Amino acid sequence: MKAIALCEAEPYSELIGCQRYLGWTYYKQGEMEKALSWFGKAGDQKDGEALFGIGSVHVARKEFQSAIPYFERAAINGYPRGYQWIALIYQYGSGVPVDINKAIRYFQQGAAHGYIMAERSLIYLDSQQGNVFVKFISLLKFIRLLIKTTKISWNNINDPRMADVPNACAKNSRQPRT
């Protein structure tokens, strides 16, 4: 409560970090209008994570088409997690027609920016092709990715490339990080 009060007060309310913090705090509390307001202030300053937060509010409201432009802007502004979420929207046809080719393109963009879950998603899609050789190659790619993930998390578990990767050491390791 003290952190919320501090961040809502001048001059701290003008800081992107406080705006983003308040956005996520209100998002987790289910106060989506307040979350949108605070994310919007940071998003107006082209903060990628805040733009992702706006997209997340739209996803929570099942407004998937409205989320896509915010996820795209988040990715363009240095938050590649947005590519992953756009890809998932197209992969599962959430509010849009299923389009695996679009999903793959967005996964590839996320992977090109080092986002671990995008790389994992590409490996998974490759492994679904049915060919034994492709499945074996996918297994090798997954092992390489596991080693890469271990190295990154060893150095910094909060590395942004690790967002959405379950933490095996955490109590609630199945819940995605925000």
Side-chain angles (χ1 to χ4, degrees):
M1 295 310 248
K2 287 183 180 182
I4 292 171
L6 183 65
C7 275
E8 287 182 332
E10 294 287 336
Y12 303 107
S13 63
E14 300 302 317
L15 299 173
I16 289 176
C18 272
Q19 294 166 350
R20 191 184 318 123
Y21 167 78
L22 290 168
W24 285 121
T25 299
Y26 288 122
Y27 176 87
K28 290 175 185 174
Q29 293 175 357
E31 295 185 50
M32 298 305 177
E33 291 307 315
K34 284 185 177 181
L36 278 175
S37 175
W38 286 106
F39 283 140
K41 291 177 186 204
D44 288 345
Q45 299 173 66
K46 298 186 178 182
D47 180 72
E49 185 176 344
L51 292 164
F52 179 86
I54 294 170
S56 297
V57 169
H58 286 292
V59 166
R61 292 176 168 175
K62 301 202 181 321
E63 300 165 348
F64 300 102
Q65 288 181 334
S66 297
I68 292 172
Y70 289 101
F71 289 147
E72 285 178 337
R73 288 178 53 206
I76 290 166
N77 285 285
Y79 203 72
R81 188 176 180 195
Y83 291 128
Q84 172 78 8
W85 285 61
I86 296 168
L88 292 170
I89 288 171
Y90 283 111
Q91 180 181 3
Y92 294 107
S94 301
V96 299
V98 171
D99 190 333
I100 296 299
N101 291 326
K102 272 189 182 178
I104 289 171
R105 282 195 304 275
Y106 280 109
F107 284 137
Q108 287 170 336
Q109 287 179 293
H113 286 89
Y115 191 69
I116 297 296
M117 290 303 288
E119 290 183 58
R120 181 190 167 277
S121 297
L122 285 170
I123 294 168
Y124 171 77
L125 289 174
D126 279 348
S127 73
Q128 298 303 301
Q129 292 182 6
N131 180 324
V132 174
F133 180 72
V134 170
K135 288 181 187 269
F136 178 73
I137 297 299
S138 295
L139 177 62
L140 294 177
K141 287 179 181 179
F142 181 75
I143 291 169
R144 182 193 57 78
L145 183 61
L146 182 60
I147 293 167
K148 177 181 176 179
T149 302
T150 302
K151 287 179 182 178
I152 292 169
S153 64
W154 182 263
N155 290 324
N156 179 6
I157 192 66
N158 294 314
D159 187 304
R161 296 173 290 173
M162 298 290 292
D164 299 321
V165 175
N167 180 350
C169 298
K171 278 186 177 181
N172 298 323
S173 65
R174 295 256 178 222
Q175 293 181 350
R177 295 185 221 170
T178 55

